[in-house]
Amino acid sequence: MGRLDGRTAVVTGATSGIGRAAAVRLAAEGAHVFVTGRREPELRDLVAEIGEAGATGVVGDVAVPADLDRLYGAVRESGRRVDVLFANAGGGEIKRLEDVTERHVDFTFGANVKGLLFTVQKALPLLNDGASVILTGSTAGSGGNEGFGVYSASKAAVRSLSRTWANELKARNIRVNTLSPGPVDTPGLTGLAPDAERARALKDVLVAGVPLGRMGRTEEIADAVVFLASDQSSFVTGIELFVDGGQRQV
Ligand SMILES: NC(=O)c1ccc[n+]([C@@H]2O[C@H](COP(=O)([O-])OP(=O)(O)OC[C@H]3O[C@@H](n4cnc5c(N)ncnc54)[C@H](OP(=O)(O)O)[C@@H]3O)[C@@H](O)[C@H]2O)c1
């Protein structure tokens, strides 16, 4: 018996990194997962790995509301409703204040804030009472690393939205929580640096701030997703769950 047998989950940003690992874990716990991302081949690989009985892929960009309509249209057509929504798609770029451009702000907030907001808003008619909504924040949202200003602000916005939504959705017993990873070794993190050498240097800097002395693994974040998705967290809403090796704790 899986902890999510018979449930339906939606995972955005499932083509890579944290979202991919979470989709695989949610499916292993028995959920049917609707997975999305912009890259079609990666999405196809994921659906093949989980198996078509357990996963449905819908290509799309969370920053484009019409793409979210297609995603939820596919859920509706399947006759399912949503028990777990993992709004995870996002990312960033390193830019100090003097280098910030309008494009950088629009790109970062477009996916991390606007995209996440409409991912949740457009799911509302499909969410079952008692559903679990999990938003990917970041330790960056409560930190001040140089070059991370716009990204950190976008993740602080995510944490803020989860407080309001936990209140707005409580009458339906829908729980809303922010899951904030510390540094996790993903293509997204590596891609912040222009080359392999600078990626290694960036990871060294980040790990230096982690009491456990290492990067997190995507599977460790996926375990926390399953906790927040399942009935094991039935009295948990409005929190920011840090899975960060102690980075923001000690
Ligand atoms: N890795 C870390 O250290 C870390 C720490 C804290 C928080 N986070 C957060 O964790 C989440 C996942 O990041 P990751 O590290 O797993 O990075 P990743 O490997 O780059 O994965 C990012 C995922 O988001 C998707 N995505 C990005 N922009 C999108 C958009 N506009 N529309 C649809 N999908 C989009 C990507 O898919 P496509 O490219 O196929 O669209 C990909 O599946 C992000 O929100 C990130 O900010 C990461």
Side-chain angles (χ1 to χ4, degrees):
M1 286 284 283
R3 279 186 276 174
L4 299 169
D5 278 342
R7 311 273 174 96
T8 299
V10 172
V11 179
T12 70
T15 51
S16 173
I18 290 167
R20 192 183 201 286
V24 169
R25 276 286 274 123
L26 291 166
E29 291 289 345
H32 185 96
V33 288
F34 283 82
V35 287
T36 185
R38 291 163 301 182
R39 286 170 293 167
E40 207 268 336
E42 283 78 358
L43 202 58
R44 208 172 339 107
D45 283 355
L46 173 63
V47 172
E49 181 178 328
I50 294 172
E52 285 185 11
T56 305
V58 182
V59 177
D61 184 335
V62 293
V64 177
D67 286 4
L68 291 169
D69 290 337
R70 276 195 306 107
L71 169 65
Y72 292 122
V75 177
R76 208 169 278 115
E77 271 168 35
S78 75
R80 295 172 183 272
R81 293 179 60 80
V82 177
D83 302 293
V84 177
L85 172 57
F86 184 33
N88 163 77
E93 301 164 322
I94 297 180
K95 287 207 189 296
R96 297 176 59 90
L97 177 58
E98 57 270 28
D99 299 322
V100 167
T101 59
E102 191 178 354
R103 193 211 68 85
H104 169 65
V105 175
D106 288 345
F107 171 76
T108 310
F109 273 73
N112 297 3
V113 181
K114 182 185 108 173
L116 175 135
L117 189 155
F118 288 112
T119 296
V120 177
Q121 187 207 58
K122 287 175 178 289
L124 291 176
L126 280 168
L127 284 175
N128 277 324
D129 289 358
S132 171
V133 176
I134 305 158
L135 313 178
T136 301
S138 170
T139 50
S142 49
N145 278 5
E146 292 177 43
F148 281 81
V150 173
Y151 176 73
S152 298
S154 75
K155 292 300 188 178
V158 170
R159 201 287 173 256
S160 173
L161 289 169
S162 69
R163 291 183 196 277
T164 305
W165 296 344
N167 261 327
E168 290 182 348
L169 299 179
K170 67 189 177 198
R172 294 174 60 191
N173 194 31
I174 294 173
R175 300 180 294 108
V176 183
N177 293 293
T178 296
L179 172 52
S180 286
V184 180
D185 207 350
T186 64
L189 185 68
T190 304
L192 288 175
D195 54 52
E197 194 182 322
R198 277 178 279 187
R200 255 192 312 277
L202 171 65
K203 289 177 189 181
D204 287 346
V205 168
L206 293 173
V207 164
V210 176
L212 287 183
R214 63 173 175 84
M215 310 269 290
R217 296 186 297 274
T218 56
E219 294 76 14
E220 294 174 307
I221 310 303
D223 282 340
V225 173
V226 170
F227 168 69
L228 289 174
S230 74
D231 296 339
Q232 290 190 322
S233 59
S234 54
F235 201 46
V236 178
T237 193
I239 69 162
E240 180 167 19
L241 176 57
F242 286 93
V243 185
D244 68 347
Q247 187 190 30
R248 284 285 173 271
Q249 320 308 316
V250 295

